[in-house]
């Protein structure tokens, strides 16, 4: 199931790997987990990823530091949790990755990228600020879904500016080249 998509990693990212395509049961799983507060799905998602790695169907890019796309504090407060941080820790418990280090903070609340058309999905790299030294590190950067790659690229650019040697992304799912939002929602 491993999906490597170098065409989406223009900018600071060296590569992006996704465990699944964003179709079938995956959108519902991620929606329930992320937006409906079903944090118990974190371990289930980690189990699915761990099974793929155990079967050799998924391998993480070379890295010596694991970090995540951080949720803005207002989103964490509203949701009550940071889904990607929880997932990174669940993956570490299953020995898929090393324990994550929080190396980035979001400077302001980010608009939901999945509600925009692909050509409108842009995030300024200044949106993210490094909070720890990443100089010379090969970083594995985790997020839930990659659509255009704008969030991963913005974070990767901030990390590269701080001296990171390389940055590879890992996401649970890859949304295909069209917006995952219906046109009438994306236009609002």
């Amino acid at each position: 199931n491993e999906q490597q998509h170098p065409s989406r990693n223009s900018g600071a990212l060296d590569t992006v790997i996704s465990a699944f395509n964003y179709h079938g049961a995956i959108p519902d799983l991620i929606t329930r987990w992320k937006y409906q507060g079903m944090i118990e799905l974190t371990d289930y998602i980690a189990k699915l990823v761990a099974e793929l790695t155990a079967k050799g169907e998924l391998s993480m890019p070379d890295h010596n530091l694991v970090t995540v796309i951080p949720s803005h504090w207002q989103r964490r407060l509203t949701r009550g949790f940071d889904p990607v941080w929880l997932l990174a820790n669940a993956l570490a418990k299953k020995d898929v990755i090393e324990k994550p280090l929080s190396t980035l903070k979001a400077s302001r609340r980010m608009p939901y990228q999945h509600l925009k058309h692909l050509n409108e999905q842009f995030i300024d790299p200044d949106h993210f600020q490094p909070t720890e030294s990443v100089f010379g590190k090969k970083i594995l950067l985790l997020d839930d879904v990659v659509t255009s790659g704008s969030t991963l690229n913005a974070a990767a650019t901030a990390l590269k500016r701080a001296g990171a040697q390389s940055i590879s992304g890992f996401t649970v799912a890859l949304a295909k080249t069209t917006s995952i939002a219906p046109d009438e929602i994306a236009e609002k």
Side-chain angles (χ1 to χ4, degrees):
N1 279 1
E2 178 177 331
Q3 303 290 323
Q4 187 166 357
H5 26 90
S7 62
R8 290 182 180 223
N9 58 355
S10 60
L13 281 169
D14 295 295
T15 191
V16 179
I17 302 292
S18 297
F20 304 99
N21 283 315
Y22 194 85
H23 65 70
I26 298 298
D28 187 51
L29 176 68
I30 290 173
T31 298
R32 289 173 188 264
W33 170 57
K34 190 172 169 181
Y35 300 110
Q36 296 175 3
M38 296 179 69
I39 59 172
E40 62 272 17
L41 292 174
T42 306
D43 285 331
Y44 178 69
I45 295 167
K47 178 180 163 259
L48 293 175
V49 173
E51 287 171 357
L52 290 175
T53 59
K55 291 191 273 187
E57 296 177 18
L58 176 70
S59 58
M60 296 297 166
D62 183 36
H63 64 278
N64 57 20
L65 187 147
V66 176
T67 195
V68 303
I69 296 291
S71 290
H72 188 271
W73 70 267
Q74 289 176 323
R75 285 238 168 93
R76 281 193 316 273
L77 184 63
T78 302
R79 286 185 183 142
F81 66 104
D82 182 336
V84 180
W85 180 255
L86 291 179
L87 179 62
N89 281 282
L91 289 169
K93 286 179 185 171
K94 295 189 180 305
D95 294 321
V96 174
I97 59 172
E98 298 76 24
K99 189 165 175 49
L101 178 65
S102 178
T103 61
L104 290 169
K105 73 173 187 172
S107 63
R108 58 192 172 280
R109 202 167 169 179
M110 200 164 28
Y112 290 109
Q113 294 299 299
H114 67 282
L115 297 178
K116 296 179 175 182
H117 285 287
L118 280 178
N119 60 353
E120 297 171 344
Q121 295 178 355
F122 173 78
I123 298 170
D124 188 320
D126 291 335
H127 176 81
F128 296 104
Q129 282 87 44
T131 58
E132 299 286 331
S133 174
V134 295
F135 187 81
K137 297 292 185 180
K138 293 187 236 175
I139 298 174
L140 181 63
L141 180 61
L142 276 65
D143 203 0
D144 53 358
V145 178
V146 61
T147 304
S148 69
S150 62
T151 304
L152 286 168
N153 269 310
T157 299
L159 291 166
K160 280 265 175 106
R161 286 178 183 167
Q165 179 182 338
S166 65
I167 298 143
S168 299
F170 171 74
T171 66
V172 174
L174 162 66
K176 291 300 183 187
T177 57
T178 57
S179 173
I180 61 174
D183 286 342
E184 60 273 11
I185 293 174
E187 290 171 0
K188 290 182 180 179

